[in-house]
Amino acid sequence: MTENVSPGGTAGLPVAEGRPARRPDPVAGVWRSRRYRWDLKWSPYAFLAPFFLFFTAFGLFPLLYTGWAALHQVELTDPNAMHWVGLHNFTRLLGDEFFWNALRNTLTIGLLSTVPQLLIALGVAQLLHHRLRGSAFFRVAVLTPYATSVAAATLVFVLLFGRDYGMINWASGLIGIEPVDWQNGTLASQLAVSTIVIWRWTGYNALIYLAAMQAVPEELYESAALDGASRWQQFRHVTVPSLRPTILFTCVVSTIGATQLFGEPLLFNGAAGATGGAEHQFQTLGLYLYEQGWVNLHLGRASAIAWTMFLILLLVGAVNGALMRWLRRREQS
């Protein structure tokens, strides 16, 4: 036995005398090189393929089918019997007072829930940003409402906003305020539904703001403190300007959620069902879509409402993109 250098480039390995060293197979080497190139090229597509398959089956196909159904008169009792009506389902919405009522209610509830929700979330995030004892516990606690079931949360708030035995009316009665019929009043019912949304989503947005606050350089706060800025001035002139893209993002996401609001108003007055109260006072676009499609069985009209909501969200996205570009240009200048 003597040490030799093998043709593969490995030194110091014993090679039997009189036995020829094994030469590498050029065909196998070419095949391994080809498989390596294929792996680099096609592996990302293989990893992404499940997402696109599920998106096509449960996202793209329903969207396209709903758009096709919106151009037809079709009933849920016989979805295969379609009669072409063109844009009639869309033009009908222009003269539908219930559609405009649902749109107004959606806008009102969206404003009543989004503005206080984001302001409270910003304040909670500022408190959590400072060093607190048990900060991990509080961060988990603020996310608990988001993890709570919509049905469970809404039913609890129904008890709180009860007219005769609700805790809200009991507490307000202690200071001399007359009981409020939260489920039948227009503004009162919209405030009650907005309160449920605020309770569920404030903690979620607070954690988003907290993550953005932690990315703000500490040097900015140190410079502001050296200039004599108070905590409030630092928050106003350092934190809020640094969070503008994040605040805009949460505004857009909250707007999308408000446009699709469904579970809270549906369960807030279970006896009313999809009508959103006796006078449709808190019926949202999501409830109106459900009423047309699954109560009145007008699948074509429901599809037109769904596509109208989709177009509204596209408009919101376009406005968001324009604001983002304006903020970017402003920061660069």
Side-chain angles (χ1 to χ4, degrees):
M1 300 290 288
T2 61
E3 293 186 356
N4 200 349
V5 179
S6 65
T10 304
L13 297 178
V15 179
E17 294 182 357
R19 181 182 300 177
R22 188 174 61 181
R23 297 180 179 179
D25 187 357
V27 176
V30 172
W31 177 247
R32 283 194 298 269
S33 177
R34 186 176 300 173
R35 283 192 305 173
Y36 178 74
R37 291 196 302 268
W38 286 352
D39 180 63
L40 289 179
K41 183 177 181 180
W42 298 108
S43 291
Y45 297 98
F47 292 136
L48 292 175
F51 164 77
F52 285 106
L53 289 176
F54 280 100
F55 173 75
T56 302
F58 301 104
L60 184 60
F61 173 74
L63 180 66
L64 297 178
Y65 181 81
T66 302
W68 179 251
L71 302 176
H72 293 77
Q73 180 183 354
V74 52
E75 302 297 323
L76 192 60
T77 54
D78 189 8
N80 293 323
M82 291 187 173
H83 304 283
W84 176 266
V85 294
L87 298 177
H88 174 71
N89 288 326
F90 292 94
T91 57
R92 178 185 172 277
L93 294 177
L94 298 177
D96 188 352
E97 61 176 335
F98 294 107
F99 169 77
W100 291 108
N101 175 73
L103 183 60
R104 285 193 302 269
N105 293 340
T106 302
L107 179 61
T108 303
I109 296 175
L111 289 175
L112 292 175
S113 61
T114 300
V115 176
Q117 171 193 152
L118 298 183
L119 291 177
I120 297 173
L122 194 59
V124 172
Q126 179 67 11
L127 293 176
L128 294 177
H129 185 55
H130 296 290
R131 294 180 180 178
L132 299 174
R133 292 183 179 179
S135 59
F137 167 77
F138 289 112
R139 293 175 185 180
V140 175
V142 298
L143 197 61
T144 303
Y146 171 71
T148 306
S149 168
V150 179
T154 305
L155 292 178
V156 170
F157 274 87
V158 168
L159 297 177
L160 292 176
F161 285 103
R163 183 186 62 181
D164 299 322
Y165 304 103
M167 186 177 293
I168 303 297
N169 280 341
W170 171 79
S172 61
L174 296 178
I175 57 177
I177 300 177
E178 294 294 328
V180 179
D181 192 353
W182 294 99
Q183 291 185 338
N184 293 320
T186 300
L187 182 59
S189 60
Q190 294 175 358
L191 280 173
V193 173
S194 301
T195 304
I196 306 173
V197 179
I198 293 171
W199 181 82
R200 290 195 67 240
W201 291 97
T202 297
Y204 174 83
N205 289 298
L207 291 185
I208 294 178
Y209 289 150
L210 178 61
M213 287 179 182
Q214 293 176 343
V216 179
E218 288 294 333
E219 293 80 3
L220 297 178
Y221 294 104
E222 294 175 358
S223 300
L226 291 175
D227 291 337
S230 62
R231 283 290 182 88
W232 167 249
Q233 291 173 332
Q234 293 178 25
F235 174 75
R236 180 180 176 185
H237 297 289
V238 177
T239 304
V240 174
S242 301
L243 296 184
R244 282 174 183 170
T246 306
I247 293 174
L248 184 59
F249 167 77
T250 54
C251 288
V252 173
V253 172
S254 300
T255 303
I256 294 173
T259 305
Q260 299 175 339
L261 193 62
F262 175 75
E264 290 86 348
L266 177 66
L267 298 173
F268 182 68
N269 190 358
T275 59
E279 299 180 357
H280 303 265
Q281 63 268 18
F282 57 93
Q283 185 182 52
T284 60
L285 286 175
L287 278 183
Y288 185 58
L289 184 154
Y290 178 81
E291 182 185 31
Q292 289 296 317
W294 278 263
V295 178
N296 298 334
L297 307 180
H298 301 318
L299 188 59
R301 298 179 184 177
S303 299
I305 299 171
W307 261 83
T308 303
M309 295 170 62
F310 176 66
L311 295 176
I312 293 174
L313 295 180
L314 288 181
L315 180 61
V316 172
V319 173
N320 172 49
L323 288 175
M324 289 291 290
R325 289 191 296 270
W326 177 76
L327 287 176
R328 193 176 297 113
R329 288 195 301 266
R330 183 177 179 181
E331 291 176 355
Q332 292 175 354
S333 61

